[in-house]
Amino acid sequence: MRREQLLQELSFKASKSSGPGGQHANKTSSRVELSWSLPETFAFTEEEIVRLTDKLAHRLTKEGVLQLASQASRSQHKNKEDVIKRFFSLLEVAIQVPKVRKKKRPSKLAKLKRLKAKKEQSEKKANRKRPEF
């Protein structure tokens, strides 16, 4: 449901691509640019939009538009599929809620082990000193 709604909100633009293609590349528009406006989307809740804005801040324009482009292939259709796949994987990563870290105290046994190791280390170093008579 959400995926179909997002696909309707996307806008695409084709332009001439650099890269492989020979003479064919000079006359066809195989590069695909995807644009998606984050503030105008209806696919996410307010909380999710805030999280997406935070995570994708370095990729958004001043107006809050996400722009992606693909020119890997000589085919416009493959480039469009590629840019859509990248768009959804980017959103998938950005929308995840980070796990809350639970504070844990070291156990009594762990404290004793640490102190014992420190004691052994200090004795080892003390034994390296020249004996006093």
Side-chain angles (χ1 to χ4, degrees), residues 17-133:
S17 170
S18 63
Q23 294 170 341
H24 178 71
N26 299 330
K27 57 186 179 182
T28 57
S29 300
S30 59
R31 179 177 192 259
V32 176
E33 292 179 39
L34 173 145
S35 296
W36 177 66
S37 178
L38 182 57
E40 296 173 10
T41 187
F42 296 105
F44 298 108
T45 63
E46 300 266 336
E47 182 184 307
E48 290 172 329
I49 288 174
V50 169
R51 194 175 318 122
L52 285 170
T53 307
D54 201 35
K55 292 266 183 106
L56 300 174
H58 64 287
R59 289 180 168 267
L60 297 174
T61 63
K62 290 177 185 173
E63 296 81 31
V65 177
L66 176 69
Q67 294 178 325
L68 295 172
S70 176
Q71 61 181 12
S73 173
R74 287 166 60 173
S75 164
Q76 189 182 98
H77 297 293
K78 285 182 184 175
N79 285 335
K80 188 173 181 180
E81 288 172 10
D82 178 48
V83 80
I84 289 171
K85 194 164 80 175
R86 281 182 31 222
F87 170 73
F88 282 117
S89 66
L90 192 69
L91 285 185
E92 203 174 290
V93 170
I95 199 99
Q96 288 178 347
V97 181
K99 289 184 180 178
V100 179
R101 182 184 177 273
K102 296 176 187 171
K103 290 184 180 177
K104 299 260 183 158
R105 294 175 64 195
S107 66
K108 194 170 186 178
L109 184 65
K111 285 182 183 176
L112 290 173
K113 275 186 180 178
R114 184 179 62 85
L115 292 173
K116 185 180 175 191
K118 285 179 75 167
K119 187 78 171 166
E120 287 173 3
Q121 186 70 13
S122 68
E123 285 174 6
K124 196 188 303 181
K125 291 194 173 208
N127 289 336
R128 292 180 189 157
K129 289 182 182 176
R130 183 173 280 169
E132 294 178 24
F133 292 108

